[in-house]
Amino acid sequence: MLADRPEPDPERQRRQVEEARLDRLGEFLRQRGRRYQNCTFRNFETPVAEQAEARDRVMNYLHRLDDHLDAGTNLILYGPSGTGKDHLLCAAAKVAIMAGHAVQWRAGMDLWDTVYETIRTGGRQRLLAPLETCGILIISDPLPPTGGLAELSAAALSRIVDRRYSLQKPTWLTMNIADRPEADARLGASVMDRLCHNAVAHWCGWESYRKS
């Protein structure tokens, strides 16, 4: 006679889930680097009202995170460099990871360097597929300091964005730009159409934290 299977231990299962999420969070933070280890909404400085508005806009997105994930609602923060856009998305990513969602973060210039190397070695599908299908993809400033994207980078971004748009997978994005026309000109109008469709987008136009 087979021994009775032991009853599952809910507390043990809860601890295992929590530990797995903490492991994923730790790996995410290692990838992001030391400067972003302690980014939270609480320590996002808000000496002007616009900063508090941006923080609250991101937090409100998280309050309906499951709905936004189902709908594929993108989250876009844009404006001058140094205004804390990556801080806010890093804080949001921590919340999403601890809620059990898969998050991938890529810095734009690092991503395009990887694209060139991967295409050179014939592994484009291996690189792009995880970015096209992960639960949340965060791209930190995909644009070079001046001008638009190089041809291969533009093609890779178009493919990633189009595939995620089709699958209704949310993309979170920070961009150092002045407005939508600049984004259209430098990133591509068709890419921006998909990114901005029903997106939560917020202008971060205050002075750089680095200057202060």
Side-chain angles (χ1 to χ4, degrees), residues 16-26 96-101:
Q16 289 174 336
V17 168
E18 183 82 1
E19 289 168 2
R21 292 177 181 180
L22 286 170
D23 287 343
R24 289 195 292 271
L25 177 60
I97 291 169
M98 291 309 295
H101 301 293

Side-chain angles (χ1 to χ4, degrees), residues 74 112 131-132 137 139 154-169 171 173 187 190-196:
N74 296 333
W112 308 140
L131 303 182
E132 294 167 358
L137 174 63
I139 303 179
L157 181 63
S158 179
R159 173 173 167 167
I160 292 168
V161 170
D162 181 68
R163 182 62 174 158
R164 294 186 65 80
Y165 182 81
S166 297
L167 295 174
Q168 289 189 297
K169 298 284 188 178
T171 301
L173 191 71
L187 210 58
S190 63
V191 168
M192 286 305 300
D193 278 346
R194 287 168 172 78
L195 286 172
C196 292

Side-chain angles (χ1 to χ4, degrees), residues 76-154:
I76 301 172
L77 302 180
Y78 65 104
S81 176
T83 53
K85 299 183 293 295
D86 282 348
H87 180 126
L88 287 173
L89 288 197
C90 189
K94 292 179 180 181
V95 174
I97 291 169
M98 291 309 295
H101 301 293
V103 178
Q104 294 262 2
W105 182 299
R106 292 292 186 276
M109 294 301 98
D110 290 343
L111 175 58
W112 308 140
D113 285 346
T114 306
V115 165
Y116 282 109
E117 180 61 21
T118 305
I119 290 175
R120 188 183 67 80
T121 57
R124 180 171 60 182
Q125 181 61 26
R126 184 176 65 251
L127 168 71
L128 296 184
L131 303 182
E132 294 167 358
T133 58
C134 65
I136 298 169
L137 174 63
I138 306 175
I139 303 179
S140 172
D141 197 19
L143 287 165
T146 59
L149 291 174
E151 183 178 352
L152 285 177
S153 301

